[in-house]
Amino acid sequence: MDTQQQQQQSAIQGAKVLMVGAGGIGCELLKTLALSGFHDIHIIDMDTIEVSNLNRQFLFRRSHVGQSKAKVARDAVLRFRPHINIRSYHANVKNPEFDVDFFKQFDVVLNGLDNLDARRHVNRLCLAADVPLVESGTTGFLGQVTVHVKGKTECYECQTKPTPKTYPVCTITSTPTKFVHCIVWAKELLFAKLFGDKNQDNDLNVRANKAASSSKETEDVFERAEDEDIEQYGRKIYDHVFGYNIEAALSNEETWKNRRRPRPIYSKDVLPESLSQKNGSTQNCSATSVDDSATVSAMPLLGLKNPQELWGLTQNSLVFIEALKLFFAKRKKEIGHLTFDKDDQLAVEFVTAAANIRAESFGIPLHSLFEAKGIAGNIVHAVATTNAIVAGLIVIEAIKVLKKDADKYRMTYCLEHPSRKMLLMPVEPFEPNPSCYVCSKTPLVLEINTQKSKLRDLVDKIVKAKLGMNLPLIMHGASLLYEVGDDLDDIMVANYNSNLEKSLSELPSPVINGSILTVEDLQQELSCKINVKHREEFDEEKEPEGMVLSGWTQSPATKGESASTSNNESAVEVTESSSGPEIASKKRKLSETQPENHKRETENVESEDDDDLMEIENPMTVSKKKRVA
């Protein structure tokens, strides 16, 4: 072994590595690290093993279902590399114990995450700790690995990330034309209203005129009386959302002049008089378990076995009622706190059935549960080979980082189709973006109506949603306006909560035109300045949040769709899967090497079962960036 090889082996064996994520990429990565000679590896992952993971996450077996991914992955690798040190953490990387000091102990951090929020969090901790980060992701046959070293290459947030598509609420609630509109309605409105926060406002409470004549009918239809039969309650909900609300929509003749009129659907026209006699009691469902709510399913009760089978209106209606009954019979304690989870079988069944019934009403083709789950969960099915290739590329870049071979760092893209006879396309990394508010401390500009907008709007829509801060602190000069933390006393918490409900100009230290706010996240050790610019009016369609942040940028929305990511009533977010662009090599401009049929932008997507989210940059943006010399 020559001197160079000895130095490399020494760097590998002496390195302390942090892996974040033990899913599709993580399993392959841990195996490759162990076989490459790494002796000290730490793994963080908050997930447990699902049956659907087993076809590609090869460190797991059926007997491991329900156990910690990080722990099982560790145990599996130690069986063939017992002499190395692997420590697992079954936890969220955003937990307080994983702070800057924790990150400082590592020589390199390797990401195999599945969401933008966690990626941004790890990026900021790596910057604060001055630890190199190797980022990765896969989407089907596409993959990428990028290197981020503070002060030398761009950070993960230097470039814009694709944003979710949004649809106007009026389209979702009144005039759906695509099945995805029905899925968003079922998931974000109906499921949330029934099983989430009952007090949330949405248009599902609209009733037909004939139903509103009775004082009894004007009560909240979603409230279930203590002694109300579950099946009758389910039928009431069914008739309300698929019957009365459709009739109410039809009363506006102007809306349907140039559109296909929907058909109201009532349970009495589709379902038998009593389901309990036909299907048996929910109490006797062998597929249910109070201790394992994710396995509760309506399909066995109805004799439905194939998730790829297309259900008709009657089958969807039966699934709708039975799924609702099971939520109340088996998971009653969760009602009021539930959010949709694509790994929750009963939630997927309910959303699929509701979306299909609505699709039937509006003349939209129905979809199988398998297809609906893919749309609802933004799923692109994972490919084990891509994960293995990307894991190998991560280790290659990690070794370069440990050897400090900065001139050899590469961002490598795994392509679905050959470009210039290559499926792996290396690109030189780029310099930090001087306009990046994360690593370059560039001030942001916020246009907002300081007299009408509350501090809560600023916190929710800007600080948390756009800047990605988890534990924000907001200061105006020497005045502390808002803070989050476990160490606050009751008086401080009450004061900050009171500030949230005040308009910016009414705060103890008034925020007006020309004010400069300092916003920090102490956990991420991130701080930025926001210059406030008062503005009276905003375009409700183009600027539905009632405020505009400059300096923080996002990818342009797809033509015809809103770019807003607000949580108000003007738009509902949904992410649709698409393939990523192919990136050209470092020797030529990307625009010169991109075949026209390969120029595609990637939305934020999730690979199957939350493996590895991939966000490939817009090739035209990449081509304009300055490479590291």
Side-chain angles (χ1 to χ4, degrees), residues 459 464 470-474 482-488 496 522:
V459 171
K464 291 184 177 179
N470 304 310
L471 301 174
L473 177 151
I474 303 175
Y482 181 73
E483 185 179 7
V484 177
D486 295 331
D487 57 341
L488 304 179
Y496 295 143
L522 299 181

Side-chain angles (χ1 to χ4, degrees), residues 104-167:
K104 281 182 178 178
Q105 66 182 297
F106 299 102
D107 297 298
V108 64
V109 176
L110 313 177
N111 260 0
L113 284 163
D114 62 8
N115 67 87
L116 177 62
D117 186 45
R119 275 194 168 99
R120 293 197 299 189
H121 184 76
V122 171
N123 175 63
R124 295 171 186 187
L125 288 173
C126 286
L127 286 170
D130 197 10
V131 176
L133 169 66
V134 182
E135 183 59 78
S136 68
T138 63
T139 299
F141 293 103
L142 302 174
Q144 69 178 32
V145 174
T146 56
V147 183
H148 307 282
V149 180
K150 184 177 181 179
K152 295 181 180 179
T153 70
E154 61 184 12
C155 81
Y156 177 72
E157 296 175 79
C158 273
Q159 300 304 323
T160 60
K161 299 294 180 285
T163 55
K165 288 184 179 181
T166 59
Y167 297 97

Side-chain angles (χ1 to χ4, degrees), residues 237-291:
I237 297 298
Y238 187 108
D239 291 341
H240 174 76
V241 296
F242 302 120
Y244 297 136
N245 280 1
I246 299 300
E247 285 193 19
L250 286 170
S251 65
N252 186 351
E253 294 292 338
E254 192 68 27
T255 302
W256 310 107
K257 276 187 177 180
N258 301 309
R259 291 186 176 93
R260 177 174 176 169
R261 294 171 67 88
R263 171 171 69 95
I265 301 173
Y266 290 93
S267 61
K268 63 181 175 61
D269 301 323
V270 181
L271 298 171
E273 230 174 88
S274 175
L275 300 182
S276 56
Q277 292 180 354
K278 178 174 180 177
N279 302 316
S281 169
T282 57
Q283 304 299 323
N284 298 322
C285 179
S286 61
T288 64
S289 167
V290 175
D291 297 325

Side-chain angles (χ1 to χ4, degrees), residues 119-254:
R119 275 194 168 99
R120 293 197 299 189
H121 184 76
V122 171
N123 175 63
R124 295 171 186 187
L125 288 173
C126 286
L127 286 170
D130 197 10
V131 176
L133 169 66
V134 182
E135 183 59 78
S136 68
T138 63
T139 299
F141 293 103
L142 302 174
Q144 69 178 32
V145 174
T146 56
V147 183
H148 307 282
V149 180
K150 184 177 181 179
K152 295 181 180 179
T153 70
E154 61 184 12
C155 81
Y156 177 72
E157 296 175 79
C158 273
Q159 300 304 323
T160 60
K161 299 294 180 285
T163 55
K165 288 184 179 181
T166 59
Y167 297 97
V169 161
C170 58
T171 299
I172 300 301
T173 59
S174 304
T175 56
T177 56
K178 302 175 182 178
F179 188 70
V180 66
H181 297 159
C182 300
I183 285 286
V184 175
W185 175 87
K187 181 175 77 166
E188 305 292 346
L189 298 183
L190 182 59
F191 184 89
K193 186 70 176 175
L194 280 171
F195 309 118
D197 183 2
K198 289 284 195 301
N199 297 319
Q200 75 167 18
D201 291 327
N202 62 44
D203 292 345
L204 294 179
N205 280 38
V206 174
R207 297 192 68 90
N209 292 334
K210 68 177 184 180
S213 59
S214 159
S215 60
K216 181 179 179 181
E217 293 290 349
T218 59
E219 296 174 4
D220 187 351
V221 71
F222 292 93
E223 285 295 327
R224 176 176 173 247
E226 284 295 325
D227 58 347
E228 188 173 8
D229 179 74
I230 300 177
E231 182 178 319
Q232 292 306 312
Y233 173 73
R235 286 174 179 269
K236 180 177 71 174
I237 297 298
Y238 187 108
D239 291 341
H240 174 76
V241 296
F242 302 120
Y244 297 136
N245 280 1
I246 299 300
E247 285 193 19
L250 286 170
S251 65
N252 186 351
E253 294 292 338
E254 192 68 27

